Amino acid sequence: MLLQAGPELTPEIAVVFAIVAAAVMLFVSEVIPSDVTALSVLVSLVVFREYTGVDAEAALSGFASTATITILAMYILSAGVRRTGVVSRLERVVAAYAGDSRQRLLGATIGITGPLAGVVNNTPVVALFIPMITDLADRTHTSPSKFLIPLSYAAMLGGTLTLIGTSTNLLASSVAADLGVAGTPFSMFQFTPLGVLVFAVGSVYLLTVSPALLPSRIEPHDLTEEFGLGGRLARVYVPESSSLIGLTPAQVRTDAIKPLQLVRGEETFVAAGSDRTIEAGDVLTIRAETPVAQSIAEVAGLRRLPQAEVTEAELALGSGRGTLAEVIVPGGSGLIGQAIGDARLEERFDATVLAARRGETLVVEGVADEILSEGGGLLIYATQSGIEHLEETGELLVTETVGDGFPEPEPIDWREAGLAVGIVLGVIAVAATDLLAISVAALGGVVAMVVGGVIDPERAYAAVEWNVIFLLAGVIPLGLAMDRTGAAAYLAAHVTDVSTALPTLATVALFYLLTGLLANLITPVASVALVLPIAVSTAADLGASAFAFVLAVTFAGSTAFMTPMGYQTNLMVYSPGGYRFTDYVRVGAPLQLLLAVVTTLGIEVIWGV
C-alpha cells in the first residue's frame, strides 16, 4: 500500500520528462551533435526553471564539476605521455612477443590495452594501437577484423579498473556525491577489485569466444583491393606524340582521371605534390575506371602498359617520400560534415583521395561528393610529408600506411619521458592517498607538464576533446532537475513497484541492463546522468544499499558494446575493421549479459546490496 501512495505526476515532473524525451530522441537520431544536444538540455532547464528548479548557477555547475575538470586534465596528461613516444615503442615489443601467433597477438592486445586504459584516457590508447594492430595482423596473415573490436572492448573494460579510467566513472562519482550517497565520491582504487574481476572475465571472453563470433570482414590483402580499386588503377606510357607533354599532373587531373604517380627513369614522384611537367618517356599511374583510362589514353596519345594490377607496393615510393594510407575521421574533427572535395586535402596535404568507406560500405565513384562523418575511412595517396602534416592537424587519424616492416622509432628523450610518466604516477598517488582531490591533483599534473616542457600550452588545449567536455557539462544539470522535481523518485516508485516480486540483487541487475542499453543508444555519459538519480531513489525505497546501485550504473556505463556509436572507441575501429552494425551486436550482446551477471554478483560479494 505504501508503494501505491508514491509520488504523483506533477507539472514539474512532466516538464522534466519532456526535456528528457526530447534529449533522448536527439541523442539517438544525431540530428545535431551530442554536445550541442547536451547544451540544449542545459538551456531548456533554465528557460523552464520555474518547473525544473534549475537556475543559471545550477545549470552551469557542470562546467565546475569535479568530473568535467578531471577529464579535461586527463586529456592533457594523456597527450603529454603520448608525445614522449613511450607508448608507441610498445609496437616493437608486441611484435617481438606475438611473432606469427594470432593468439599471442590477441592476448597482447588485450593484456596491454586494458591496464593502460585504466590510467591513460582510452581514446588515445586505441588511436595508437589501431595502426599497430593492423600492421601486426597483416604479418600474421589474419584479418584485422579479428582484433579491432577486441581492442576497443579491452580499452572499455580497462576503464573500470580505476576512478580515472573513463569519464563515466568520474561523472558517476560526482553525481552520486551530490545525491548524498554514502561512500562517494569514489577514491582512486575504491572499486578496483570489482574492475579486476570484470576485466578478467571480459578478457577470457575476448580471448576464447570473440574469435569464433567475429567475421573476417577485411582479408589480409592489398589495400587497393580492400577499397575496391581493382581495375581502377592503371599505368600509361607517354610517347613523344602525346598531347600531355609540357603539362603538369595537376593540369591533367579531372573528376574522371586522377594522376597519382610520375615515374621518370629511376625517379618516382607523387603527382599531387609535383610541379614537374610531363615529358616523353614518362610513365603515369592514374586512377580511373578502365573504359575511362582507355579512352583518355587514346585521346591524349598515351599507351596503356599491358601489366598486372597496380598494387599498394607499386604505389609506395622506395625513397619513402610518398605512400598509400588509410585514414579515419576522428570525433571532433573539423572535417565532419564536409564533402571530401570541399576539404581540399590535395591542396593542403598533397593527398589524393582514392576511395571512401564506412563500415562495409565502399564509395569508389563520386568520391568528391561523399560527406565526411565520424568513423568514416578514406584511402589516400600522399607524400610522406603530407601524411605527417595531416597527422599533426588531428583532423584525420592514420590507421595504416604501406611500407616495409616498422619504421625506425624516433629517439626518445628519456628525461622528458620519465618526467611525463612520473607526473601521471604522482597524480594517481596523490589522489589515491587523499592528499588532494582528484581534480586538483590532475590540474597540478597539467601545470607540471607545461612547466617541465613536456607539452606546450597550444598542444595542451588541442589535446582536449571539447565536445566531450561540453557533453558532460550539459547533462550534469539534468540529474539535478530529476532529483529536485521528484522525477527520479516518481520513476523509482514505479520501478520499485515492478520489482517487488524480484530479489534486490535482481533489481540491481535490472538497472545495470537499463543503463547499458541506454549507453548503446545515446551516450554512456548521458545514460549515467539519467539513470543514477532513479537508481538511488529506488535503493532508498527498497531499503537497499544506494552505493551498490551506484556501482551497477557506473560499470554499466562502460559496457556499451552493442553498437558502433555506443562508445567512441567502437566508432574508431568501425571503418578499419570493415565491420557491420550487426557485428557489434553479435559479439557485444553476450558479453554485456555476461558482465551483468558478473558485476551484480561481484557487488553482492564485495559490498553487499
Side-chain angles (χ1 to χ4, degrees):
M1 296 296 294
L2 180 60
L3 291 177
Q4 292 176 352
E8 295 182 355
L9 182 62
T10 64
E12 290 79 8
I13 293 175
V15 169
V16 171
F17 283 170
I19 293 174
V20 169
V24 169
M25 285 190 292
L26 288 173
F27 278 129
V28 172
S29 65
E30 297 182 329
V31 173
I32 58 176
S34 57
D35 52 333
V36 177
T37 296
L39 292 178
S40 301
V41 169
L42 184 155
V43 172
S44 299
L45 292 173
V46 178
V47 170
F48 296 101
R49 58 187 175 277
E50 293 184 7
Y51 296 93
T52 63
V54 176
D55 57 17
E57 183 177 355
L60 296 174
S61 63
F63 288 97
S65 164
T66 298
T68 306
I69 298 300
T70 305
I71 292 165
L72 185 152
M74 290 309 301
Y75 276 124
I76 299 174
L77 294 177
S78 296
V81 173
R82 182 176 51 177
R83 284 195 67 250
T84 65
V86 172
V87 178
S88 62
R89 286 292 178 109
L90 285 174
E91 181 168 3
R92 288 176 173 269
V93 175
V94 173
Y97 169 77
D100 293 328
S101 171
R102 302 177 186 180
Q103 194 64 19
R104 280 192 175 191
L105 176 55
L106 183 59
T109 300
I110 297 167
I112 295 176
T113 304
L116 193 59
V119 293
V120 179
N121 184 272
N122 51 20
T123 301
V125 169
V126 171
L128 284 169
F129 273 64
I130 288 175
M132 180 185 82
I133 298 303
T134 301
D135 289 343
L136 293 176
D138 189 55
R139 286 192 164 204
T140 60
H141 308 290
T142 309
S143 170
S145 310
K146 293 285 187 179
F147 299 102
L148 292 179
I149 275 183
L151 168 67
S152 175
Y153 287 3
M156 294 164 68
L157 291 170
T160 66
L161 294 172
T162 67
L163 173 62
I164 61 175
T166 70
S167 56
T168 54
N169 295 348
L170 291 160
L171 175 66
S173 176
S174 178
V175 172
D178 290 340
L179 295 172
V181 177
T184 62
F186 299 131
S187 61
M188 179 66 69
F189 302 108
Q190 190 169 354
F191 50 72
T192 298
L194 181 60
V196 170
L197 174 64
V198 167
F199 178 72
V201 173
S203 297
V204 171
Y205 174 90
L206 293 176
L207 286 168
T208 58
V209 179
S210 71
L213 297 177
L214 280 168
S216 298
R217 295 295 183 201
I218 294 178
E219 294 300 330
H221 54 46
D222 195 287
L223 267 179
T224 58
E225 295 179 22
E226 185 181 311
F227 273 83
L229 290 177
R232 293 180 170 88
L233 298 173
R235 288 189 185 276
V236 292
Y237 175 77
V238 183
E240 293 183 356
S241 59
S242 173
S243 60
L244 298 188
I245 293 176
L247 301 178
T248 65
Q251 292 173 314
V252 176
R253 179 188 176 96
T254 67
D255 289 338
I257 180 172
K258 298 177 180 178
L260 303 178
Q261 206 177 60
L262 188 152
V263 179
R264 179 172 297 162
E266 297 297 320
E267 293 184 292
T268 307
F269 308 100
V270 176
S274 176
D275 58 0
R276 292 171 175 79
T277 57
I278 298 172
E279 297 178 1
D282 288 346
V283 174
L284 293 174
T285 302
I286 61 173
R287 188 264 193 246
E289 290 292 317
T290 302
V292 175
Q294 189 63 40
S295 63
I296 289 178
E298 293 173 359
V299 171
L302 303 173
R303 186 165 69 245
R304 186 171 183 183
L305 298 180
Q307 64 181 69
E309 288 285 334
V310 176
T311 65
E312 63 175 28
E314 292 170 310
L315 283 174
L317 298 183
S319 64
R321 291 188 296 111
T323 189
L324 202 63
E326 179 183 12
V327 300
I328 61 172
V329 185
S333 170
L335 299 179
I336 293 175
Q338 292 187 39
I340 291 175
D342 295 335
R344 300 184 299 109
L345 299 181
E346 181 171 2
E347 177 184 330
R348 297 168 60 194
F349 307 117
D350 296 333
T352 301
V353 180
L354 303 179
R357 179 174 65 193
R358 182 168 179 79
E360 64 170 340
T361 304
L362 287 174
V363 178
V364 291
E365 294 304 319
V367 177
D369 298 325
E370 180 70 8
I371 302 299
L372 292 164
S373 59
E374 183 179 354
L378 303 176
L379 181 65
I380 65 172
Y381 183 67
T383 60
Q384 191 63 39
S385 61
I387 289 176
E388 291 171 359
H389 181 207
L390 182 149
E391 285 190 289
E392 289 175 359
T393 65
E395 292 183 338
L396 293 169
L397 174 67
V398 178
T399 58
E400 183 176 0
T401 57
V402 176
D404 298 322
F406 297 111
E408 192 66 31
E410 293 290 331
I412 291 180
D413 183 335
W414 289 107
R415 184 206 68 82
E416 185 179 79
L419 178 60
V421 173
I423 289 171
V424 173
L425 293 177
V427 169
I428 294 172
V430 168
T433 54
D434 291 328
L435 292 177
L436 289 172
I438 179 64
S439 55
V440 178
L443 287 175
V446 170
V447 172
M449 279 201 175
V450 173
V451 172
V454 176
I455 189 170
D456 58 57
E458 183 178 351
R459 291 181 182 272
Y461 284 114
V464 179
E465 296 281 353
W466 291 103
N467 59 325
V468 176
I469 298 302
F470 282 101
L471 173 61
L472 278 167
V475 299
I476 285 175
L478 188 58
L480 293 177
M482 293 192 66
D483 182 53
R484 292 181 180 182
T485 61
Y490 177 84
L491 288 176
H494 286 77
V495 172
T496 304
D497 198 11
V498 171
S499 61
T500 50
L502 299 175
T504 303
L505 189 61
T507 306
V508 173
L510 187 64
F511 271 98
Y512 183 100
L513 292 172
L514 173 62
T515 307
L517 179 62
L518 285 175
N520 280 289
L521 295 176
I522 51 179
T523 67
V525 167
S527 65
V528 168
L530 182 63
V531 176
L532 203 56
I534 305 169
V536 171
S537 294
T538 301
D541 287 344
L542 294 174
S545 167
F547 184 78
F549 278 72
V550 169
L551 280 176
V553 171
T554 302
F555 273 68
S558 297
T559 59
F561 300 126
M562 295 195 298
T563 64
M565 74 284 290
Y567 198 75
Q568 51 195 345
T569 58
N570 283 353
L571 205 54
M572 290 171 68
V573 301
Y574 187 46
S575 178
Y579 294 118
R580 299 176 184 173
F581 188 97
T582 52
D583 294 333
Y584 290 86
V585 178
R586 181 186 298 111
V587 184
L591 178 58
Q592 197 150 353
L593 291 172
L594 173 64
L595 294 184
V597 175
V598 170
T599 303
T600 51
L601 290 178
I603 291 172
E604 167 65 19
V605 171
I606 300 173
W607 291 280
V609 298

